[in-house]
Structure formats: C-alpha cells, structure tokens
Amino acid sequence: MLTQRRQFLVWAVSAIVGIWAVAWGGDRYLESRKVTAEKVRLYVQTLDFSKLAGVERAGALKNLENKLNALSYEERQQLRFERFMKNLFPLMSDDEKAAFIEATLPAGFKQTIDAFEKLPEDKRHKAVDDAIKHLRVTANAGENLPNGTNGPPPISLQLEAEIRTIGLKTFYSQSSAQTKAEVAPFLEEMQRQMESGRLMR
C-alpha cells in the first residue's frame, strides 16, 4: 500500500513538473515571438535595403509593415519619434513610400479623417491643439525632458498651419509620402483621440 502511494506521489510530482515545464517553454516561445520596438529597430538597422530588389525587396517591406503594425500605440509612437526610418525611407521609391505609409497607418484612418472633418470648427481646432500637446509631452518624456521644457515640435509649424488652414482631409490627400511620414505620429494621435470619444463629449 505504501509503495503504491509512493508511486502515485512520484507520478503526480512528475506530472506537475512536466506541466510547469511545458507552460514555461510555451511562455518563453511566445515571448520570443512577440514583436517589440527594440526588435523592429534592430530589424531596420540590419536590413541592407539598397541591395534588395524585386520579390526580396517587397518581402522585406511587407515584413517591416507587419512588425510595425503588431506594436502597441505607445511603441509605434516611440519609434516614430526616433525617426527610425530616417536611413531606410530615402532608399524607397515614391510608390514604396506611399504603400508603406498606407499600410502602417492604423486601420480605419480614412473614416477618422471623415469624422474629424464633420466636427465643428472649434472642436477641430481643439483636437489639433490636444494632439500636438500630447505628442510634445510624450516626446519630452521619451527624451527624459521635464514637461516644461520645449523639445522639438511633433510636426513643423508650417505643416501644423497647413492642417489648420486647409483641413486634415485635404492636407492628407495632397501630401507626399514623405510629408505623411513626417506627420504620422500626429495622424495616429488624432485617430486615438477620435476613437476615445473625448471630442464628442
């Protein structure tokens, strides 16, 4: 009887250890597959884009788009503030730039622009102010600057003035891929604000 009990205990402990090992291994595997800002940064740094052509080039861009889209809003903004594409973007053709921007803007962005354009002028003005203010605070925090410090503006004053004057929809439709890349953090922050419903309250 004692031997049977001992065998059962050995079996139970072995089963628990086995389950724990499988769970730990699965967790480590999933963690290794998780896309992070650091992994995207490393991928861009090691990508020798100038030597790629055809299917390989398109595949590398698609891979980068998928990695960027898998990141959280905060990580995407962090990378955009770092201008992580500053060496890669100039190597792209105009068509590649346009496709990359379209593929990496959040889903439903066009609907966000339409909804923004329907807001009263005072709410549109407030939305632009709030987006720029939030981006400035986020950028300053990322650079370890005190909130009162004037870091670099999230978008240039000229582009901000254009958005205010001609409207977001017209600005977006008339902008080059390069300009869209420059204002991508602002565009994502605008969408985040619209989706949060703060402007509707």
Side-chain angles (χ1 to χ4, degrees):
M1 189 71 175
L2 189 60
T3 304
Q4 284 183 336
R5 193 173 294 169
R6 190 173 294 159
Q7 285 177 341
F8 174 77
L9 285 173
V10 169
W11 178 87
V13 169
S14 299
I16 290 170
V17 170
I19 291 169
W20 182 86
V22 169
W24 182 82
D27 184 59
R28 297 299 299 166
Y29 173 75
L30 291 176
E31 190 65 30
S32 71
R33 302 283 296 168
K34 182 181 177 185
V35 180
T36 64
E38 183 57 39
K39 288 180 181 178
V40 174
R41 194 181 297 111
L42 185 62
Y43 178 76
V44 171
Q45 289 170 354
T46 57
L47 188 63
D48 197 351
F49 196 66
S50 61
K51 293 184 179 176
L52 298 178
V55 175
E56 276 187 317
R57 189 176 173 102
L61 276 178
K62 185 66 178 171
N63 194 12
L64 178 56
E65 290 166 6
N66 291 339
K67 288 178 184 297
L68 192 59
N69 288 335
L71 294 176
S72 67
Y73 167 81
E74 290 77 15
E75 287 182 306
R76 287 164 63 98
Q77 291 292 51
Q78 177 189 338
L79 285 175
R80 293 201 196 276
F81 283 131
E82 292 173 8
R83 308 252 186 242
F84 79 110
M85 293 284 291
K86 63 185 175 189
N87 295 326
L88 181 59
F89 213 67
L91 301 176
M92 294 182 180
S93 68
D94 288 344
D95 287 343
E96 286 172 333
K97 290 176 183 176
F100 182 81
I101 294 298
E102 290 295 323
T104 56
L105 278 173
F109 179 72
K110 299 289 176 61
Q111 291 88 337
T112 296
I113 291 180
D114 289 338
F116 175 81
E117 292 297 316
K118 292 174 183 172
L119 290 173
E121 185 178 349
D122 62 326
K123 287 200 172 185
R124 288 199 308 269
H125 187 78
K126 182 178 180 349
V128 173
D129 287 344
D130 288 351
I132 290 173
K133 180 181 176 184
H134 184 267
L135 288 174
R136 184 169 283 122
V137 169
T138 304
N140 288 349
E143 296 169 14
N144 296 319
L145 298 172
N147 284 347
T149 303
N150 289 328
I155 60 174
S156 72
L157 295 177
Q158 179 187 349
L159 292 179
E160 180 187 340
E162 283 183 41
I163 290 170
R164 290 182 188 278
T165 304
I166 65 175
L168 190 57
K169 189 171 188 175
T170 304
F171 172 82
Y172 185 80
S173 65
Q174 293 178 355
S175 294
S176 67
Q178 186 72 43
T179 300
K180 289 175 184 175
E182 184 178 338
V183 299
F186 171 80
L187 298 175
E188 287 198 37
E189 175 58 23
M190 289 293 298
Q191 178 161 13
R192 192 183 73 84
Q193 280 197 32
M194 295 291 289
E195 289 178 347
S196 74
R198 282 182 300 173
L199 295 174
M200 305 302 177
R201 291 195 289 271

